[in-house]
């Protein structure tokens, strides 16, 4: 809920919440599958403690901030302090104890929250528990900025599927490769390095067997430091993946294949990949509306990923799989790098069938434009889905 505040208090709340969001950004590559959360504790407009969520099973942001305040010699000042938290404090026993109990124990006067937590285990109960103890609560402060850090977590909690970000690199005329398939490199090394950030923040990097066979990519995070590598996954209906593919580097790899009875040779291949290469072979049904029944059920794959706590999917695939996700209504966001090159005839970004009416085009909204070296990075998203998430975390 939003409380009417005087302009000075509202300005101060925005300032300190921005600091909490900055702290949450420090955990961007660390917390999966938990959300990235920052907490700042303030007494008499003086910072007395701060923290951010650590890796799974370790301290949440509020506990880190309390410990930091105590380490600074500010334990007494916790009484009557204001906690600025980017996500509603948890009120349940999960991998760690409830953060709400720690805030109450230290007798906070006020808690300012950017986003409510749609997790069914929380769902406003954190706010209710704080208010029951006489602690003033204000929500929705810089909610959109906080949501940007945790779109996947919020989408998984609300919609029971991850947020899919499709990464594309094209020429000015919308080509991802020459007609003969050559694509290395359309964009600059600066743009390619920038793309590593988006891999690092994802839970899972997904591609198709066509891309794997054509480029033999590793698909891990390079060029930047990260404490955690995302899972890499391949959609390979016929289970033709080469056991010597570069992607099998002993980090986890998931391979989605058609749900059918394997041959003896395929069973041996499965055993080898799972026992020797740290792979997981996952059988999926065919899509009922697939072309000639030849496509895996992408919605089923998304359901599987959500059950396995995957928040953000980073899709780096070819035109056919890109089109499959778009046609299935599963592209939430597009991350597009455009090089100042004109190729002419070549392979399109999405291998789509012709439309009969312009009104049938998939409509997205640009929300970020950034020069990256000689290239341009554009971000667009499904605005209806974004606004639905924002409404859910802003209103109680």
């Amino acid at each position: 809920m939003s409380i009417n505040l005087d302009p000075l208090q509202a300005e101060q709340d925005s300032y300190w919440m921005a600091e909490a969001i900055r702290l949450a950004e420090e955990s961007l590559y660390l917390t999966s599958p938990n959300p990235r959360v920052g907490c700042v504790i303030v007494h008499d407009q003086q910072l007395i403690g701060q923290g951010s969520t650590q890796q799974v099973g370790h301290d949440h942001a509020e506990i880190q901030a309390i410990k930091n305040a105590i380490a600074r010699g500010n334990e007494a000042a916790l009484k009557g302090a204001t906690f600025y938290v980017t996500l509603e404090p948890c009120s349940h026993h999960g991998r760690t104890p409830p953060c709400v109990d720690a805030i109450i124990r230290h007798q906070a006067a006020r808690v300012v929250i950017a986003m409510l937590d749609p997790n069914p285990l929380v769902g406003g109960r954190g706010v209710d528990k704080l208010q029951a103890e006489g602690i003033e609560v204000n929500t929705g402060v810089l909610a959109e900025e906080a949501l940007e850090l945790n779109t996947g977590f919020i989408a998984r909690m609300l919609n029971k599927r991850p947020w899919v970000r499709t990464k594309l690199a094209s020429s000015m005329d919308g080509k991802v490769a020459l007609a003969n398939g050559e694509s290395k490199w359309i964009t600059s090394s600066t743009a390619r390095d920038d793309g590593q950030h988006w891999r690092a923040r994802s839970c899972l990097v997904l591609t198709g067997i066509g891309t794997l066979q054509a480029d033999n990519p590793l698909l891990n995070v390079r060029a930047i430091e990260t404490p955690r590598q995302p899972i890499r996954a391949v959609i390979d209906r016929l289970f033709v993946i080469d056991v010597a593919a570069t992607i099998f580097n002993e980090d986890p790899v998931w391979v989605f294949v058609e749900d059918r009875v394997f041959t003896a040779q395929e069973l041996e291949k499965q055993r080898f990949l799972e026992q020797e290469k740290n792979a997981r072979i996952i059988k999926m049904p065919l899509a009922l509306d697939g072309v000639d029944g030849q496509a895996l059920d992408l919605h089923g794959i998304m359901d599987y990923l959500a059950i396995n706590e995957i928040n953000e999917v980073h899709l780096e695939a070819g035109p056919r799989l890109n089109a499959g996700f778009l046609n299935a209504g599963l592209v939430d966001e597009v991350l597009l790098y455009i090089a100042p090159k004109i190729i002419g005839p070549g392979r399109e970004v999405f291998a789509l069938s012709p439309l009969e009416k312009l009104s049938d085009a998939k409509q997205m909204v640009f929300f970020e434009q950034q020069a990256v070296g000689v290239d341009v990075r554009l971000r667009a998203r499904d605005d209806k889905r974004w606004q639905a998430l924002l409404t859910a975390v802003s209103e109680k």
Side-chain angles (χ1 to χ4, degrees):
M1 82 243 56
S2 180
I3 297 173
N4 291 327
L5 303 171
D6 65 76
L8 178 59
Q9 183 65 72
E11 182 180 349
Q12 291 171 344
D13 284 353
S14 293
Y15 172 82
W16 290 115
M17 187 60 76
E19 287 297 297
I21 289 171
R22 181 188 60 78
L23 286 167
E25 289 174 345
E26 294 181 1
S27 296
L28 196 61
Y29 305 152
L30 179 65
T31 65
S32 177
N34 287 342
R36 300 102 177 196
V37 182
C39 177
V40 169
I41 308 175
V42 176
H43 194 117
D44 292 335
Q45 287 306 307
Q46 298 295 314
L47 175 69
I48 64 170
Q50 61 182 11
S52 59
T53 299
Q54 301 302 296
Q55 61 265 42
V56 173
H58 293 265
D59 288 340
H60 288 186
E62 300 91 325
I63 306 305
Q64 280 275 300
I66 290 170
K67 288 181 176 179
N68 180 251
I70 293 171
R72 294 179 181 210
N74 294 327
E75 184 170 9
L78 288 169
K79 182 177 181 179
T82 297
F83 282 65
Y84 292 89
V85 193
T86 60
L87 182 69
E88 180 182 3
C90 62
S91 55
H92 66 288
H93 283 272
R95 297 181 176 102
T96 57
C99 294
V100 164
D101 291 354
I103 294 172
I104 293 170
R105 186 168 60 252
H106 287 285
Q107 299 180 279
R110 186 165 174 256
V111 177
V112 181
I113 299 167
M115 295 191 301
L116 296 171
D117 189 346
N119 184 341
L121 296 174
V122 182
R125 284 187 285 274
V127 170
D128 292 342
K129 197 169 184 178
L130 291 168
Q131 291 177 323
E133 295 294 331
I135 297 173
E136 179 185 328
V137 178
N138 192 25
T139 64
V141 178
L142 302 188
E144 190 155 6
E145 292 85 345
L147 177 58
E148 170 63 29
L149 294 179
N150 287 297
T151 317
F153 175 80
I154 301 300
R156 179 166 66 86
M157 290 296 115
L158 283 173
N159 303 328
K160 303 298 185 289
R161 72 171 184 83
W163 184 263
V164 177
R165 181 180 293 111
T166 301
K167 186 257 186 181
L168 308 166
S170 80
S171 61
M172 290 174 64
D173 52 344
K175 303 301 190 299
V176 296
L178 303 182
N180 64 10
E182 182 184 348
S183 62
K184 293 184 177 179
W185 296 104
I186 289 178
T187 53
S188 66
S189 60
T190 304
R192 297 197 298 277
D193 286 349
D194 185 78
Q196 296 292 313
H197 158 74
W198 303 95
R199 282 186 185 178
R201 69 169 283 170
S202 71
C203 301
L204 180 134
V205 178
L206 179 63
T207 194
I209 187 61
T211 297
L212 204 75
Q213 290 176 327
D215 299 335
N216 195 24
L218 186 55
L219 289 180
N220 66 350
V221 177
R222 304 179 296 279
I224 59 174
E225 291 188 12
T226 176
R228 171 196 63 88
Q229 285 286 345
I231 296 165
R232 290 152 305 145
V234 183
I235 295 178
D236 176 22
R237 179 179 70 88
L238 298 177
F239 196 25
V240 296
I241 193 167
D242 188 341
V243 297
T246 302
I247 198 171
F248 296 118
N249 68 339
E250 298 185 3
D251 288 335
V253 176
W254 294 357
V255 183
F256 292 98
V257 302
E258 182 182 346
D259 186 4
R260 57 179 172 78
V261 176
F262 276 177
T263 65
Q265 185 177 9
E266 287 173 327
L267 287 171
E268 175 56 26
K269 183 177 181 178
Q270 178 181 13
R271 185 207 63 78
F272 175 76
L273 288 175
E274 292 185 338
Q275 295 184 13
E276 304 296 332
K277 296 290 187 176
N278 198 16
R280 182 188 296 186
I281 310 305
I282 305 156
K283 292 186 175 183
M284 282 285 152
L286 296 176
L288 296 178
D289 57 351
V291 179
D292 298 323
Q294 298 301 301
L296 293 187
D297 181 3
L298 298 181
H299 288 277
I301 292 175
M302 293 302 104
D303 291 343
Y304 179 90
L305 295 181
I307 291 170
N308 283 272
E309 298 187 305
I310 299 298
N311 296 330
E312 288 184 25
V313 172
H314 180 80
L315 179 64
E316 286 195 38
R320 287 184 60 192
L321 189 55
N322 287 337
F325 268 82
L326 191 70
N327 288 332
L330 293 172
V331 175
D332 299 305
E333 182 178 324
V334 171
L335 174 68
L336 173 62
Y337 294 88
I338 301 178
K341 298 175 182 176
I342 298 174
I343 287 176
R347 299 187 180 180
E348 306 285 345
V349 173
F350 294 94
L352 297 168
S353 300
L355 294 176
E356 294 184 0
K357 297 181 296 180
L358 191 56
S359 58
D360 290 336
K362 170 68 175 178
Q363 181 68 58
M364 306 192 87
V365 174
F366 284 117
F367 66 97
E368 182 184 277
Q369 308 85 36
Q370 178 69 49
V372 182
V374 299
D375 304 315
V376 175
R377 184 185 73 213
L378 301 175
R379 294 176 67 198
R381 63 189 170 212
D382 186 311
D383 196 54
K384 288 184 179 179
R385 292 177 192 169
W386 171 263
Q387 293 299 332
L389 298 184
L390 185 58
T391 298
V393 300
S394 300
E395 299 179 0
K396 187 173 185 297

